[in-house]
Amino acid sequence: TLEYWRLRRGELIVRPALDAYSSELMAQLEEAVRCRVPRSSALGVQLSGGLDSSAVVAIAAEQAASAGSKLLAYSWFTGTEDRPKQEESEWSPAQRFADQLSIPLYHSDLDPQEILCLLTEHDLSAGDSTDLWYEPGLRKLAISQGVSRLLSGWGGDQVVTNYGSYAYASEAARGNWRYVLGDFREQVRDERNPLWRLLALLKNQVIRPLVKASAFPGRRVEVPSFLACAREEFKAVAHDLAEVAVPRPGLSVHADQLFQFNVGHLQNRLESWALAGAREGFYYSYPLLDVRLLEFAINIPEWLYRRRGKGRYLFRHSLSSRLPEEICWGDSKQEPWRVSHGMQMTIQALASWAARQPREHGNPIIDSSRLHELIGRLQQASDFYNERLVLDVMCAVKSVHVLTMMEQQAA
């Protein structure tokens, strides 16, 4: 294999002040978007209402206007008329921001029959996965509106907009206590018990991570194997062929960035969407994965990623004049309604599949009786927004995919 580029640390980028870093970041971000905006044609952008996608949309709106391109925004699932008011925040920030920029915002939705078709008819040997059920519908909608290129903020929080979770511990280990204690003092200034709050920050953000890193060096992150429905003989072979754990990142923001970039999650999504889109003449572009931005992000001081208790600080600060405050400085966006809806639709599709299939399939890899039992348990679920259920649904989906692929190959 010919390697033409690899993300790696270089010389530390030193600038005189925060605003200098901010100006450089914005210049790189604007160029990363500009070179991906076509001239005089329709351009799509993903807009979830989160920080990364909103930043791309804000810059793309300016660049598209200069290039004479029509900009259309897309999002997954906008909810139902009877949705609870407290869950409206999942999609209302995206709609308000689109309205502010005078950009139309369209949504893709799901139904169990579409998912069932993907489970039983999709050719997985083509190289693209279909776990993100909303995306094929979004792509189909965009193509029907004359869009053949879509900008996405995917991959931003792994590197360029990293949360900076290790910033305080890492800087303390380097002896940069001026940053650590100064930032903590700002956070506790208005607290009723500032001393106790300061001690809690030191314990949770500095001492505990440092002790954990020194007590358990080289710990590994367990990766789900999704083999619960596999036959025992295949499980033994699968565990011998593949590692089911990956090394944890070191105790630093930059180590975490490299870990997130290299672990394979990003590459899997990019390759999958690229292959799926290419068959339809549709192309995805990722400004936040621009090489220049990545190399900038991996070589700036780590304290830029977390200040005043806010992760992704430099990116937020740099976009503060272009994004609504609720998006720029709000807490990390959660999507319980979208995830729950997706899980419910998927379980319904799995139940429809199971109703048509024999409990004893005779497949050498997947134990059909175990798969039927798993789908039966999923049908009894009432809480659709929890990690255990999501992993079980993914296990069932992957098992059905294996059966489908083997049937297609046999035919």
Side-chain angles (χ1 to χ4, degrees):
T1 302
L2 179 64
E3 179 180 290
Y4 67 93
W5 178 80
R6 177 185 291 270
L7 182 61
R8 52 170 58 92
R9 294 291 315 283
E11 187 176 342
L12 184 69
I13 297 172
V14 179
R15 299 292 180 264
L18 172 65
D19 286 342
Y21 288 106
S22 185
S23 297
E24 192 164 341
L25 173 65
M26 283 308 304
Q28 302 230 23
L29 178 58
E30 288 170 357
E31 176 57 22
V33 174
R34 186 201 64 77
C35 69
R36 290 169 171 82
V37 173
R39 291 198 167 273
S40 305
S41 63
L43 173 67
V45 285
Q46 288 180 335
L47 177 58
S48 67
L51 179 63
D52 294 344
S53 67
S54 299
V56 171
V57 169
I59 306 300
E62 300 171 5
Q63 302 285 1
S66 301
S69 300
K70 178 183 178 183
L71 196 65
L72 298 89
Y74 298 91
S75 185
W76 293 352
F77 179 59
T78 187
T80 57
E81 288 302 320
D82 60 347
R83 65 186 181 269
K85 289 290 184 184
Q86 65 268 25
E87 290 168 339
E88 214 172 83
S89 60
E90 270 189 54
W91 46 82
S92 54
Q95 187 61 64
R96 283 194 290 270
F97 189 42
D99 292 343
Q100 177 184 322
L101 297 175
S102 300
I103 299 171
L105 176 60
Y106 303 96
H107 300 85
S108 64
D109 206 346
L110 286 178
D111 71 62
Q113 189 58 40
E114 290 178 356
I115 299 175
L116 182 61
C117 288
L118 287 169
L119 282 171
T120 57
E121 299 174 12
H122 182 72
D123 183 6
L124 281 176
S125 64
D128 65 304
S129 64
T130 55
D131 291 347
L132 296 168
W133 305 122
Y134 291 106
E135 192 60 25
L138 187 152
R139 195 163 52 242
K140 181 178 179 181
L141 174 62
I143 290 172
S144 73
Q145 296 173 325
V147 172
S148 61
R149 181 176 295 276
L150 188 78
L151 298 186
S152 172
W154 171 250
D157 56 4
Q158 279 77 16
V159 183
V160 175
T161 69
N162 189 280
Y163 285 88
S165 301
Y166 299 103
Y168 296 128
S170 178
E171 292 294 338
R174 292 191 183 96
N176 188 5
W177 285 98
R178 180 179 180 183
Y179 155 70
V180 175
L181 294 177
D183 202 86
F184 285 175
R185 276 197 296 268
E186 283 195 51
Q187 293 182 51
V188 306
R189 182 178 298 161
D190 298 323
E191 295 281 342
R192 180 178 297 179
N193 252 312
L195 179 58
W196 284 111
R197 175 63 177 150
L198 177 62
L199 291 173
L201 286 171
L202 281 168
K203 173 188 172 184
N204 295 322
Q205 300 291 333
V206 178
I207 298 172
R208 181 175 289 171
L210 288 174
V211 170
K212 187 181 292 187
S214 59
F216 304 102
R219 289 182 66 202
R220 301 173 77 80
V221 180
E222 293 299 319
V223 176
S225 65
F226 303 113
L227 292 172
C229 298
R231 296 191 182 278
E232 293 303 322
E233 314 86 80
F234 181 76
K235 282 184 184 180
V237 175
H239 280 296
D240 288 341
L241 290 177
E243 286 279 349
V244 293
V246 292
R248 284 185 181 272
L251 188 71
S252 78
V253 176
H254 293 319
D256 182 56
Q257 289 171 309
L258 288 171
F259 170 80
Q260 297 286 348
F261 186 80
N262 292 319
V263 75
H265 177 55
L266 286 176
Q267 290 81 351
N268 179 64
R269 174 78 63 86
L270 267 60
E271 291 175 4
S272 177
W273 282 4
L275 289 164
R279 289 198 299 274
E280 301 170 304
F282 190 84
Y283 302 97
Y284 291 89
S285 290
Y286 307 90
L288 297 183
L289 291 173
D290 186 279
V291 169
R292 294 160 294 188
L293 268 176
L294 292 173
E295 292 181 341
F296 175 78
I298 201 71
N299 288 304
I300 59 176
E302 296 190 354
W303 59 265
L304 290 165
Y305 287 96
R306 185 167 285 268
R307 294 190 72 187
R308 299 169 187 166
K310 280 289 185 183
R312 316 168 93 182
Y313 187 84
L314 177 63
F315 199 79
R316 295 179 193 267
H317 176 77
S318 303
L319 273 296
S320 59
S321 64
R322 304 199 188 192
L323 295 179
E325 184 173 353
E326 64 176 335
I327 293 176
C328 190
W329 294 105
D331 294 330
S332 300
K333 187 172 68 66
Q334 302 297 315
E335 298 184 313
W337 192 261
R338 282 191 181 104
V339 172
S340 297
H341 177 70
M343 291 299 104
Q344 288 177 282
M345 296 297 101
T346 304
I347 291 169
Q348 289 180 35
L350 288 167
S352 297
W353 175 87
R356 305 177 187 183
Q357 299 292 324
R359 290 186 68 88
E360 295 298 333
H361 197 282
N363 185 276
I365 295 178
I366 300 300
D367 186 327
S368 295
S369 61
R370 288 182 181 174
L371 178 55
H372 275 77
E373 289 171 7
L374 175 58
I375 293 172
R377 291 198 302 273
L378 290 172
Q379 288 179 268
Q380 304 304 313
S382 57
D383 176 12
F384 298 97
Y385 189 64
N386 72 77
E387 185 178 2
R388 182 65 261 171
L389 179 128
V390 171
L391 291 174
D392 285 344
V393 169
M394 291 175 68
C395 179
V397 166
K398 292 177 187 297
S399 299
V400 173
H401 274 324
V402 169
L403 291 173
T404 298
M405 183 166 60
M406 294 183 73
E407 289 173 358
Q408 290 171 344
Q409 290 174 343

